[in-house]
Amino acid sequence: MQHLDLAINVYAEEDRSKRFKESLQFGKVQDATFRTHLFRIEAIPFVSLFSFCEMFLQSRVLLSEWLTDLMKR
């Protein structure tokens, strides 16, 4: 994993319409009209992703569902 970030993406006008029609599961999506990072961590080990998600998601049910869905792929 190259980095982990928490960003705010804003899609205005045509960018918004295009983004609503796309899904990240199919690859690259429409670029945001405006974007800012609240934080960004470079060169993070992949296994750290799960610890960060556990700290970020307060709902244990949501976390469990997300991890279960990941294992299906």
Side-chain angles (χ1 to χ4, degrees):
M1 190 161 72
Q2 294 178 351
H3 72 273
L4 176 65
D5 68 41
L6 178 59
I8 297 173
N9 295 314
V10 177
Y11 299 89
E13 300 174 10
E14 289 181 24
D15 291 334
R16 181 179 178 184
S17 299
K18 290 177 184 176
R19 179 62 182 95
F20 273 129
K21 295 176 185 173
E22 301 170 335
S23 174
L24 281 170
Q25 71 182 14
F26 302 118
K28 184 153 172 43
V29 295
Q30 178 65 31
D31 288 334
T33 310
F34 307 101
R35 176 179 173 91
T36 187
H37 284 90
L38 301 176
F39 73 84
R40 181 177 171 118
I41 305 168
E42 297 291 337
I44 185 169
F46 179 75
V47 296
S48 300
L49 171 68
F50 303 103
S51 296
F52 277 99
C53 289
E54 186 176 16
M55 289 184 280
F56 185 75
L57 298 172
Q58 291 183 2
S59 169
R60 295 295 161 229
V61 173
L62 181 60
L63 180 63
S64 175
E65 288 176 354
W66 177 68
L67 290 173
T68 300
D69 187 58
L70 279 178
M71 299 307 146
K72 292 178 185 177
R73 298 169 190 221

